[in-house]
Amino acid sequence: MNRVDTKKMLSAILLKEWVKLRLLVWVPFLVLLAVLIDTHMRYKGVVASHGASALWLDLIYKQSIYFMKLKWVLIGGGIWFASLQFLPECSNKRLRLLFHIPVAHQVPMCAMLFVGIGMMAVLFLGAYIGLAGVFSLYYFPKELSSMMLQTTLPWALAGFVAYCATAAVIAQASVYKKLAFVFLGYVYVGFLTETNGFNAFNDLGLYALSTLPWLFVFEAAALGVKESYA
């Protein structure tokens, strides 16, 4: 195919992704808004009951994380977006069609992953900005608020892993391999979300690099489906 035809194919794939996502893509964002409001109300409750000084002492010395529910929003968002995208794509053996279109199968796969990971990035950006807004309402110093915000970065990676693992589980035909992806995803997400105070992952760049192989698990699962029906 020439470059124009490839662009048309890519546009059609992106339009298909929008059709799959458009009705229910807002659900994680609505949950995010509810969690941000809950975080604000929890801080407000501590201030009302014990005063602002008690809240600050709790954050500085105990490093209590009042926004822990955000990690479930990001993980759940990854599972939600992957389900919306890949359940229709992989039902009734439709996934095999990716290998019979006049472009390399990596093109539609990368396009789908690009859309899903893009939605995850928007969800995390909303969480990050919203949480920063909550902190500003209570005039937390920059040194404290930045540490608290950095606590959410591994959770973003966990959401990314949850997304990729869910896509692979849906695409995979073998029950045993599905269970293997579930187990590996569960272990890795659990590792990234194990928090003992603020900013627990100092070498976040290394952890981010370690998650990159998850980008390829969907293609691996899809290739397994292709071979099983060859």
Side-chain angles (χ1 to χ4, degrees), residues 176-209:
Y176 297 107
K177 291 181 180 179
K178 282 180 184 287
L179 292 175
F181 281 129
V182 170
F183 174 75
L184 291 174
Y186 176 81
V187 170
Y188 215 91
V189 167
F191 169 71
L192 288 169
T193 54
E194 185 175 349
T195 303
N196 296 312
F198 302 145
N199 193 19
F201 290 77
N202 294 322
D203 298 324
L204 188 63
L206 295 177
Y207 294 107
L209 288 175

PDB file of all heavy atoms in Angstrom, residues 176-209:
ATOM      1  N   TYR A 176      -4.696 -21.320  30.137  1.00  0.00           N
ATOM      2  CA  TYR A 176      -3.513 -21.329  30.994  1.00  0.00           C
ATOM      3  C   TYR A 176      -2.669 -20.078  30.793  1.00  0.00           C
ATOM      4  O   TYR A 176      -2.138 -19.499  31.755  1.00  0.00           O
ATOM      5  CB  TYR A 176      -2.678 -22.582  30.719  1.00  0.00           C
ATOM      6  CG  TYR A 176      -3.410 -23.859  31.046  1.00  0.00           C
ATOM      7  CD1 TYR A 176      -3.887 -24.691  30.039  1.00  0.00           C
ATOM      8  CD2 TYR A 176      -3.647 -24.227  32.374  1.00  0.00           C
ATOM      9  CE1 TYR A 176      -4.566 -25.862  30.340  1.00  0.00           C
ATOM     10  CE2 TYR A 176      -4.323 -25.398  32.688  1.00  0.00           C
ATOM     11  CZ  TYR A 176      -4.781 -26.211  31.662  1.00  0.00           C
ATOM     12  OH  TYR A 176      -5.463 -27.351  31.961  1.00  0.00           O
ATOM     13  N   LYS A 177      -2.554 -19.639  29.547  1.00  0.00           N
ATOM     14  CA  LYS A 177      -1.800 -18.418  29.274  1.00  0.00           C
ATOM     15  C   LYS A 177      -2.546 -17.188  29.786  1.00  0.00           C
ATOM     16  O   LYS A 177      -1.936 -16.213  30.227  1.00  0.00           O
ATOM     17  CB  LYS A 177      -1.503 -18.300  27.786  1.00  0.00           C
ATOM     18  CG  LYS A 177      -0.505 -19.348  27.295  1.00  0.00           C
ATOM     19  CD  LYS A 177      -0.205 -19.198  25.817  1.00  0.00           C
ATOM     20  CE  LYS A 177       0.796 -20.251  25.358  1.00  0.00           C
ATOM     21  NZ  LYS A 177       1.084 -20.143  23.899  1.00  0.00           N
ATOM     22  N   LYS A 178      -3.875 -17.228  29.717  1.00  0.00           N
ATOM     23  CA  LYS A 178      -4.658 -16.134  30.308  1.00  0.00           C
ATOM     24  C   LYS A 178      -4.355 -16.015  31.800  1.00  0.00           C
ATOM     25  O   LYS A 178      -4.122 -14.917  32.322  1.00  0.00           O
ATOM     26  CB  LYS A 178      -6.156 -16.406  30.127  1.00  0.00           C
ATOM     27  CG  LYS A 178      -6.737 -16.116  28.760  1.00  0.00           C
ATOM     28  CD  LYS A 178      -8.229 -16.430  28.760  1.00  0.00           C
ATOM     29  CE  LYS A 178      -8.851 -16.243  27.386  1.00  0.00           C
ATOM     30  NZ  LYS A 178      -8.991 -14.813  27.033  1.00  0.00           N
ATOM     31  N   LEU A 179      -4.353 -17.163  32.487  1.00  0.00           N
ATOM     32  CA  LEU A 179      -4.072 -17.162  33.923  1.00  0.00           C
ATOM     33  C   LEU A 179      -2.653 -16.673  34.202  1.00  0.00           C
ATOM     34  O   LEU A 179      -2.414 -15.988  35.203  1.00  0.00           O
ATOM     35  CB  LEU A 179      -4.274 -18.568  34.491  1.00  0.00           C
ATOM     36  CG  LEU A 179      -5.727 -19.076  34.504  1.00  0.00           C
ATOM     37  CD1 LEU A 179      -5.773 -20.530  34.982  1.00  0.00           C
ATOM     38  CD2 LEU A 179      -6.604 -18.207  35.387  1.00  0.00           C
ATOM     39  N   ALA A 180      -1.717 -17.021  33.312  1.00  0.00           N
ATOM     40  CA  ALA A 180      -0.336 -16.564  33.489  1.00  0.00           C
ATOM     41  C   ALA A 180      -0.255 -15.046  33.378  1.00  0.00           C
ATOM     42  O   ALA A 180       0.416 -14.385  34.180  1.00  0.00           O
ATOM     43  CB  ALA A 180       0.561 -17.215  32.448  1.00  0.00           C
ATOM     44  N   PHE A 181      -0.959 -14.471  32.406  1.00  0.00           N
ATOM     45  CA  PHE A 181      -0.970 -13.013  32.260  1.00  0.00           C
ATOM     46  C   PHE A 181      -1.640 -12.348  33.461  1.00  0.00           C
ATOM     47  O   PHE A 181      -1.195 -11.286  33.924  1.00  0.00           O
ATOM     48  CB  PHE A 181      -1.687 -12.611  30.970  1.00  0.00           C
ATOM     49  CG  PHE A 181      -0.853 -12.754  29.731  1.00  0.00           C
ATOM     50  CD1 PHE A 181      -1.330 -13.447  28.625  1.00  0.00           C
ATOM     51  CD2 PHE A 181       0.419 -12.195  29.664  1.00  0.00           C
ATOM     52  CE1 PHE A 181      -0.569 -13.579  27.480  1.00  0.00           C
ATOM     53  CE2 PHE A 181       1.192 -12.317  28.516  1.00  0.00           C
ATOM     54  CZ  PHE A 181       0.700 -13.020  27.420  1.00  0.00           C
ATOM     55  N   VAL A 182      -2.718 -12.952  33.949  1.00  0.00           N
ATOM     56  CA  VAL A 182      -3.391 -12.413  35.130  1.00  0.00           C
ATOM     57  C   VAL A 182      -2.446 -12.408  36.323  1.00  0.00           C
ATOM     58  O   VAL A 182      -2.338 -11.409  37.054  1.00  0.00           O
ATOM     59  CB  VAL A 182      -4.663 -13.218  35.455  1.00  0.00           C
ATOM     60  CG1 VAL A 182      -5.221 -12.822  36.830  1.00  0.00           C
ATOM     61  CG2 VAL A 182      -5.726 -12.987  34.385  1.00  0.00           C
ATOM     62  N   PHE A 183      -1.754 -13.518  36.520  1.00  0.00           N
ATOM     63  CA  PHE A 183      -0.843 -13.625  37.659  1.00  0.00           C
ATOM     64  C   PHE A 183       0.306 -12.623  37.552  1.00  0.00           C
ATOM     65  O   PHE A 183       0.617 -11.908  38.520  1.00  0.00           O
ATOM     66  CB  PHE A 183      -0.285 -15.054  37.737  1.00  0.00           C
ATOM     67  CG  PHE A 183       0.775 -15.229  38.793  1.00  0.00           C
ATOM     68  CD1 PHE A 183       0.422 -15.283  40.140  1.00  0.00           C
ATOM     69  CD2 PHE A 183       2.122 -15.324  38.446  1.00  0.00           C
ATOM     70  CE1 PHE A 183       1.402 -15.438  41.122  1.00  0.00           C
ATOM     71  CE2 PHE A 183       3.100 -15.473  39.412  1.00  0.00           C
ATOM     72  CZ  PHE A 183       2.732 -15.519  40.756  1.00  0.00           C
ATOM     73  N   LEU A 184       0.944 -12.554  36.393  1.00  0.00           N
ATOM     74  CA  LEU A 184       2.065 -11.635  36.215  1.00  0.00           C
ATOM     75  C   LEU A 184       1.626 -10.179  36.360  1.00  0.00           C
ATOM     76  O   LEU A 184       2.318  -9.362  36.982  1.00  0.00           O
ATOM     77  CB  LEU A 184       2.708 -11.854  34.841  1.00  0.00           C
ATOM     78  CG  LEU A 184       3.459 -13.168  34.653  1.00  0.00           C
ATOM     79  CD1 LEU A 184       3.913 -13.320  33.210  1.00  0.00           C
ATOM     80  CD2 LEU A 184       4.655 -13.249  35.585  1.00  0.00           C
ATOM     81  N   GLY A 185       0.462  -9.866  35.796  1.00  0.00           N
ATOM     82  CA  GLY A 185      -0.055  -8.512  35.928  1.00  0.00           C
ATOM     83  C   GLY A 185      -0.371  -8.164  37.365  1.00  0.00           C
ATOM     84  O   GLY A 185      -0.061  -7.057  37.837  1.00  0.00           O
ATOM     85  N   TYR A 186      -0.967  -9.104  38.078  1.00  0.00           N
ATOM     86  CA  TYR A 186      -1.310  -8.886  39.486  1.00  0.00           C
ATOM     87  C   TYR A 186      -0.048  -8.648  40.323  1.00  0.00           C
ATOM     88  O   TYR A 186      -0.010  -7.728  41.154  1.00  0.00           O
ATOM     89  CB  TYR A 186      -2.069 -10.103  40.015  1.00  0.00           C
ATOM     90  CG  TYR A 186      -2.396 -10.030  41.486  1.00  0.00           C
ATOM     91  CD1 TYR A 186      -3.485  -9.296  41.942  1.00  0.00           C
ATOM     92  CD2 TYR A 186      -1.609 -10.706  42.422  1.00  0.00           C
ATOM     93  CE1 TYR A 186      -3.785  -9.231  43.297  1.00  0.00           C
ATOM     94  CE2 TYR A 186      -1.889 -10.640  43.772  1.00  0.00           C
ATOM     95  CZ  TYR A 186      -2.984  -9.905  44.200  1.00  0.00           C
ATOM     96  OH  TYR A 186      -3.267  -9.838  45.546  1.00  0.00           O
ATOM     97  N   VAL A 187       0.973  -9.454  40.087  1.00  0.00           N
ATOM     98  CA  VAL A 187       2.213  -9.306  40.845  1.00  0.00           C
ATOM     99  C   VAL A 187       2.870  -7.961  40.564  1.00  0.00           C
ATOM    100  O   VAL A 187       3.302  -7.249  41.484  1.00  0.00           O
ATOM    101  CB  VAL A 187       3.184 -10.465  40.521  1.00  0.00           C
ATOM    102  CG1 VAL A 187       4.565 -10.195  41.110  1.00  0.00           C
ATOM    103  CG2 VAL A 187       2.636 -11.776  41.059  1.00  0.00           C
ATOM    104  N   TYR A 188       2.935  -7.597  39.297  1.00  0.00           N
ATOM    105  CA  TYR A 188       3.615  -6.355  38.942  1.00  0.00           C
ATOM    106  C   TYR A 188       2.847  -5.133  39.430  1.00  0.00           C
ATOM    107  O   TYR A 188       3.448  -4.163  39.929  1.00  0.00           O
ATOM    108  CB  TYR A 188       3.826  -6.278  37.437  1.00  0.00           C
ATOM    109  CG  TYR A 188       5.120  -5.592  37.075  1.00  0.00           C
ATOM    110  CD1 TYR A 188       6.290  -6.316  36.901  1.00  0.00           C
ATOM    111  CD2 TYR A 188       5.180  -4.211  36.949  1.00  0.00           C
ATOM    112  CE1 TYR A 188       7.490  -5.687  36.599  1.00  0.00           C
ATOM    113  CE2 TYR A 188       6.368  -3.575  36.650  1.00  0.00           C
ATOM    114  CZ  TYR A 188       7.518  -4.317  36.474  1.00  0.00           C
ATOM    115  OH  TYR A 188       8.696  -3.681  36.184  1.00  0.00           O
ATOM    116  N   VAL A 189       1.520  -5.160  39.289  1.00  0.00           N
ATOM    117  CA  VAL A 189       0.704  -4.045  39.783  1.00  0.00           C
ATOM    118  C   VAL A 189       0.834  -3.930  41.294  1.00  0.00           C
ATOM    119  O   VAL A 189       0.944  -2.821  41.844  1.00  0.00           O
ATOM    120  CB  VAL A 189      -0.766  -4.230  39.363  1.00  0.00           C
ATOM    121  CG1 VAL A 189      -1.684  -3.272  40.135  1.00  0.00           C
ATOM    122  CG2 VAL A 189      -0.919  -3.995  37.868  1.00  0.00           C
ATOM    123  N   GLY A 190       0.821  -5.066  41.980  1.00  0.00           N
ATOM    124  CA  GLY A 190       0.977  -5.047  43.428  1.00  0.00           C
ATOM    125  C   GLY A 190       2.312  -4.469  43.850  1.00  0.00           C
ATOM    126  O   GLY A 190       2.401  -3.713  44.826  1.00  0.00           O
ATOM    127  N   PHE A 191       3.349  -4.793  43.101  1.00  0.00           N
ATOM    128  CA  PHE A 191       4.680  -4.263  43.409  1.00  0.00           C
ATOM    129  C   PHE A 191       4.724  -2.745  43.243  1.00  0.00           C
ATOM    130  O   PHE A 191       5.271  -2.021  44.080  1.00  0.00           O
ATOM    131  CB  PHE A 191       5.705  -4.918  42.490  1.00  0.00           C
ATOM    132  CG  PHE A 191       7.062  -4.284  42.523  1.00  0.00           C
ATOM    133  CD1 PHE A 191       7.875  -4.414  43.626  1.00  0.00           C
ATOM    134  CD2 PHE A 191       7.515  -3.546  41.439  1.00  0.00           C
ATOM    135  CE1 PHE A 191       9.138  -3.817  43.657  1.00  0.00           C
ATOM    136  CE2 PHE A 191       8.766  -2.952  41.456  1.00  0.00           C
ATOM    137  CZ  PHE A 191       9.572  -3.087  42.571  1.00  0.00           C
ATOM    138  N   LEU A 192       4.112  -2.242  42.173  1.00  0.00           N
ATOM    139  CA  LEU A 192       4.149  -0.808  41.890  1.00  0.00           C
ATOM    140  C   LEU A 192       3.269   0.011  42.824  1.00  0.00           C
ATOM    141  O   LEU A 192       3.462   1.224  42.959  1.00  0.00           O
ATOM    142  CB  LEU A 192       3.725  -0.553  40.440  1.00  0.00           C
ATOM    143  CG  LEU A 192       4.730  -0.977  39.365  1.00  0.00           C
ATOM    144  CD1 LEU A 192       4.089  -0.920  37.987  1.00  0.00           C
ATOM    145  CD2 LEU A 192       5.974  -0.104  39.405  1.00  0.00           C
ATOM    146  N   THR A 193       2.303  -0.618  43.448  1.00  0.00           N
ATOM    147  CA  THR A 193       1.377   0.125  44.306  1.00  0.00           C
ATOM    148  C   THR A 193       1.639  -0.104  45.789  1.00  0.00           C
ATOM    149  O   THR A 193       0.871   0.379  46.628  1.00  0.00           O
ATOM    150  CB  THR A 193      -0.083  -0.268  43.992  1.00  0.00           C
ATOM    151  OG1 THR A 193      -0.237  -1.696  44.082  1.00  0.00           O
ATOM    152  CG2 THR A 193      -0.486   0.185  42.604  1.00  0.00           C
ATOM    153  N   GLU A 194       2.714  -0.813  46.111  1.00  0.00           N
ATOM    154  CA  GLU A 194       3.060  -1.008  47.521  1.00  0.00           C
ATOM    155  C   GLU A 194       3.724   0.269  48.031  1.00  0.00           C
ATOM    156  O   GLU A 194       4.849   0.609  47.645  1.00  0.00           O
ATOM    157  CB  GLU A 194       4.009  -2.190  47.680  1.00  0.00           C
ATOM    158  CG  GLU A 194       4.308  -2.516  49.132  1.00  0.00           C
ATOM    159  CD  GLU A 194       5.151  -3.762  49.277  1.00  0.00           C
ATOM    160  OE1 GLU A 194       5.330  -4.479  48.278  1.00  0.00           O
ATOM    161  OE2 GLU A 194       5.634  -4.029  50.391  1.00  0.00           O
ATOM    162  N   THR A 195       3.013   0.997  48.881  1.00  0.00           N
ATOM    163  CA  THR A 195       3.451   2.326  49.307  1.00  0.00           C
ATOM    164  C   THR A 195       3.692   2.357  50.805  1.00  0.00           C
ATOM    165  O   THR A 195       2.819   1.996  51.585  1.00  0.00           O
ATOM    166  CB  THR A 195       2.401   3.387  48.935  1.00  0.00           C
ATOM    167  OG1 THR A 195       2.174   3.326  47.521  1.00  0.00           O
ATOM    168  CG2 THR A 195       2.870   4.779  49.301  1.00  0.00           C
ATOM    169  N   ASN A 196       4.879   2.817  51.176  1.00  0.00           N
ATOM    170  CA  ASN A 196       5.204   3.022  52.589  1.00  0.00           C
ATOM    171  C   ASN A 196       5.583   4.490  52.794  1.00  0.00           C
ATOM    172  O   ASN A 196       6.737   4.828  53.002  1.00  0.00           O
ATOM    173  CB  ASN A 196       6.362   2.108  53.015  1.00  0.00           C
ATOM    174  CG  ASN A 196       6.002   0.642  52.916  1.00  0.00           C
ATOM    175  OD1 ASN A 196       4.951   0.233  53.393  1.00  0.00           O
ATOM    176  ND2 ASN A 196       6.854  -0.143  52.301  1.00  0.00           N
ATOM    177  N   GLY A 197       4.601   5.333  52.709  1.00  0.00           N
ATOM    178  CA  GLY A 197       4.854   6.767  52.809  1.00  0.00           C
ATOM    179  C   GLY A 197       4.933   7.410  51.439  1.00  0.00           C
ATOM    180  O   GLY A 197       4.721   6.767  50.402  1.00  0.00           O
ATOM    181  N   PHE A 198       5.251   8.689  51.410  1.00  0.00           N
ATOM    182  CA  PHE A 198       5.276   9.449  50.166  1.00  0.00           C
ATOM    183  C   PHE A 198       6.504   9.107  49.330  1.00  0.00           C
ATOM    184  O   PHE A 198       7.584   8.830  49.857  1.00  0.00           O
ATOM    185  CB  PHE A 198       5.276  10.952  50.462  1.00  0.00           C
ATOM    186  CG  PHE A 198       4.090  11.415  51.266  1.00  0.00           C
ATOM    187  CD1 PHE A 198       4.219  12.429  52.192  1.00  0.00           C
ATOM    188  CD2 PHE A 198       2.841  10.844  51.090  1.00  0.00           C
ATOM    189  CE1 PHE A 198       3.132  12.865  52.937  1.00  0.00           C
ATOM    190  CE2 PHE A 198       1.743  11.265  51.825  1.00  0.00           C
ATOM    191  CZ  PHE A 198       1.892  12.277  52.761  1.00  0.00           C
ATOM    192  N   ASN A 199       6.308   9.150  48.013  1.00  0.00           N
ATOM    193  CA  ASN A 199       7.425   9.024  47.060  1.00  0.00           C
ATOM    194  C   ASN A 199       8.307   7.829  47.384  1.00  0.00           C
ATOM    195  O   ASN A 199       9.524   7.944  47.559  1.00  0.00           O
ATOM    196  CB  ASN A 199       8.253  10.313  47.046  1.00  0.00           C
ATOM    197  CG  ASN A 199       9.217  10.370  45.859  1.00  0.00           C
ATOM    198  OD1 ASN A 199       9.046   9.662  44.883  1.00  0.00           O
ATOM    199  ND2 ASN A 199      10.227  11.220  45.969  1.00  0.00           N
ATOM    200  N   ALA A 200       7.686   6.647  47.442  1.00  0.00           N
ATOM    201  CA  ALA A 200       8.416   5.446  47.860  1.00  0.00           C
ATOM    202  C   ALA A 200       9.401   4.958  46.798  1.00  0.00           C
ATOM    203  O   ALA A 200      10.350   4.259  47.108  1.00  0.00           O
ATOM    204  CB  ALA A 200       7.424   4.330  48.193  1.00  0.00           C
ATOM    205  N   PHE A 201       9.179   5.315  45.527  1.00  0.00           N
ATOM    206  CA  PHE A 201      10.025   4.824  44.441  1.00  0.00           C
ATOM    207  C   PHE A 201      10.967   5.936  43.992  1.00  0.00           C
ATOM    208  O   PHE A 201      10.618   6.774  43.157  1.00  0.00           O
ATOM    209  CB  PHE A 201       9.159   4.363  43.260  1.00  0.00           C
ATOM    210  CG  PHE A 201       8.390   3.100  43.535  1.00  0.00           C
ATOM    211  CD1 PHE A 201       7.238   3.132  44.313  1.00  0.00           C
ATOM    212  CD2 PHE A 201       8.806   1.892  43.026  1.00  0.00           C
ATOM    213  CE1 PHE A 201       6.531   1.978  44.577  1.00  0.00           C
ATOM    214  CE2 PHE A 201       8.103   0.725  43.284  1.00  0.00           C
ATOM    215  CZ  PHE A 201       6.963   0.767  44.059  1.00  0.00           C
ATOM    216  N   ASN A 202      12.161   5.948  44.529  1.00  0.00           N
ATOM    217  CA  ASN A 202      13.111   6.999  44.177  1.00  0.00           C
ATOM    218  C   ASN A 202      13.689   6.819  42.780  1.00  0.00           C
ATOM    219  O   ASN A 202      13.960   7.786  42.085  1.00  0.00           O
ATOM    220  CB  ASN A 202      14.247   7.037  45.201  1.00  0.00           C
ATOM    221  CG  ASN A 202      13.772   7.451  46.586  1.00  0.00           C
ATOM    222  OD1 ASN A 202      12.917   8.310  46.705  1.00  0.00           O
ATOM    223  ND2 ASN A 202      14.313   6.824  47.624  1.00  0.00           N
ATOM    224  N   ASP A 203      13.895   5.581  42.360  1.00  0.00           N
ATOM    225  CA  ASP A 203      14.436   5.296  41.022  1.00  0.00           C
ATOM    226  C   ASP A 203      13.303   4.961  40.065  1.00  0.00           C
ATOM    227  O   ASP A 203      13.258   3.885  39.467  1.00  0.00           O
ATOM    228  CB  ASP A 203      15.437   4.136  41.082  1.00  0.00           C
ATOM    229  CG  ASP A 203      16.632   4.458  41.963  1.00  0.00           C
ATOM    230  OD1 ASP A 203      17.055   5.628  41.953  1.00  0.00           O
ATOM    231  OD2 ASP A 203      17.117   3.551  42.655  1.00  0.00           O
ATOM    232  N   LEU A 204      12.387   5.914  39.913  1.00  0.00           N
ATOM    233  CA  LEU A 204      11.187   5.641  39.124  1.00  0.00           C
ATOM    234  C   LEU A 204      11.525   5.375  37.660  1.00  0.00           C
ATOM    235  O   LEU A 204      10.831   4.602  36.994  1.00  0.00           O
ATOM    236  CB  LEU A 204      10.214   6.815  39.241  1.00  0.00           C
ATOM    237  CG  LEU A 204       8.826   6.597  38.628  1.00  0.00           C
ATOM    238  CD1 LEU A 204       8.096   5.474  39.352  1.00  0.00           C
ATOM    239  CD2 LEU A 204       8.008   7.877  38.666  1.00  0.00           C
ATOM    240  N   GLY A 205      12.581   6.011  37.151  1.00  0.00           N
ATOM    241  CA  GLY A 205      12.951   5.797  35.757  1.00  0.00           C
ATOM    242  C   GLY A 205      13.264   4.345  35.451  1.00  0.00           C
ATOM    243  O   GLY A 205      12.869   3.824  34.403  1.00  0.00           O
ATOM    244  N   LEU A 206      13.930   3.671  36.369  1.00  0.00           N
ATOM    245  CA  LEU A 206      14.246   2.258  36.176  1.00  0.00           C
ATOM    246  C   LEU A 206      12.985   1.407  36.183  1.00  0.00           C
ATOM    247  O   LEU A 206      12.844   0.465  35.399  1.00  0.00           O
ATOM    248  CB  LEU A 206      15.212   1.785  37.271  1.00  0.00           C
ATOM    249  CG  LEU A 206      16.600   2.425  37.264  1.00  0.00           C
ATOM    250  CD1 LEU A 206      17.410   1.930  38.443  1.00  0.00           C
ATOM    251  CD2 LEU A 206      17.329   2.117  35.955  1.00  0.00           C
ATOM    252  N   TYR A 207      12.066   1.749  37.070  1.00  0.00           N
ATOM    253  CA  TYR A 207      10.808   1.002  37.120  1.00  0.00           C
ATOM    254  C   TYR A 207       9.989   1.242  35.853  1.00  0.00           C
ATOM    255  O   TYR A 207       9.328   0.328  35.345  1.00  0.00           O
ATOM    256  CB  TYR A 207      10.007   1.395  38.355  1.00  0.00           C
ATOM    257  CG  TYR A 207      10.665   0.991  39.648  1.00  0.00           C
ATOM    258  CD1 TYR A 207      11.264   1.936  40.474  1.00  0.00           C
ATOM    259  CD2 TYR A 207      10.711  -0.336  40.041  1.00  0.00           C
ATOM    260  CE1 TYR A 207      11.885   1.562  41.660  1.00  0.00           C
ATOM    261  CE2 TYR A 207      11.324  -0.727  41.223  1.00  0.00           C
ATOM    262  CZ  TYR A 207      11.918   0.240  42.025  1.00  0.00           C
ATOM    263  OH  TYR A 207      12.535  -0.139  43.185  1.00  0.00           O
ATOM    264  N   ALA A 208      10.041   2.472  35.338  1.00  0.00           N
ATOM    265  CA  ALA A 208       9.332   2.772  34.096  1.00  0.00           C
ATOM    266  C   ALA A 208       9.896   1.956  32.938  1.00  0.00           C
ATOM    267  O   ALA A 208       9.145   1.405  32.121  1.00  0.00           O
ATOM    268  CB  ALA A 208       9.421   4.271  33.799  1.00  0.00           C
ATOM    269  N   LEU A 209      11.219   1.852  32.868  1.00  0.00           N
ATOM    270  CA  LEU A 209      11.850   1.044  31.819  1.00  0.00           C
ATOM    271  C   LEU A 209      11.464  -0.426  31.948  1.00  0.00           C
ATOM    272  O   LEU A 209      11.284  -1.121  30.943  1.00  0.00           O
ATOM    273  CB  LEU A 209      13.367   1.196  31.884  1.00  0.00           C
ATOM    274  CG  LEU A 209      13.943   2.536  31.429  1.00  0.00           C
ATOM    275  CD1 LEU A 209      15.454   2.574  31.677  1.00  0.00           C
ATOM    276  CD2 LEU A 209      13.650   2.778  29.956  1.00  0.00           C
TER     277      LEU A 209
END
